[in-house]
Every structure is written in C-alpha cells, then in structure tokens.
C-alpha cells in the first residue's frame, strides 16, 4: 500500500460518505447508531461529516 498525501483528506471524506450512506440505507438514525456503538451522537455526526476519523477501538468494539 502506497501512502498518497494528496488523498488523505479525500479518503476520510470517502469513509464518512460511505458510513453515512450505509446507515441511511439501513433506515437507522445517528442516535440509534450511537447507542449501539456506545458513543455519543455528536461523535457519530463528526465521523459522518469527516471531521473525525474513527479510532481502532471505535471500529472493533
């Protein structure tokens, strides 16, 4: 895997878009997802907007 610095921001926004799309297709709210992932709705919102990248702990629990 090659690190492409010019794609770093784009990959975060790609992840955010994919997560948001999957949640919406499942018909779930951010509040529902937050409850089931044991995180705040604000954190889910920040991940889905690309402001925050989920940590390894976030995605493995």
């Amino acid at each position: 895997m090659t690190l492409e610095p010019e794609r770093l921001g784009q990959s975060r926004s790609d992840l955010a878009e994919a997560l948001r799309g999957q949640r919406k297709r499942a018909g779930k709210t951010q509040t529902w997802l937050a409850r089931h992932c044991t995180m705040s709705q604000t954190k889910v919102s920040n991940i889905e907007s690309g402001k925050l990248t989920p940590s390894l702990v976030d995605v493995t629990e």
Side-chain angles (χ1 to χ4, degrees):
M1 180 174 166
T2 306
L3 178 63
E4 299 175 43
E6 66 278 0
R7 288 201 32 97
L8 287 177
Q10 186 176 358
S11 62
R12 180 186 293 180
S13 64
D14 290 347
L15 174 63
E17 185 179 329
L19 292 172
R20 185 174 51 254
Q22 289 292 327
R23 176 186 57 78
K24 287 184 174 189
R25 277 189 287 287
K28 303 300 181 184
T29 64
Q30 286 183 346
T31 302
W32 182 92
L33 181 60
R35 235 182 281 128
H36 285 78
C37 294
T38 58
M39 63 178 68
S40 70
Q41 183 274 328
T42 301
K43 187 170 185 176
V44 170
S45 176
N46 285 336
I47 291 170
E48 287 189 355
S49 66
K51 295 177 186 172
L52 180 69
T53 302
S55 71
L56 183 58
V57 171
D58 293 330
V59 298
T60 58
E61 289 189 347

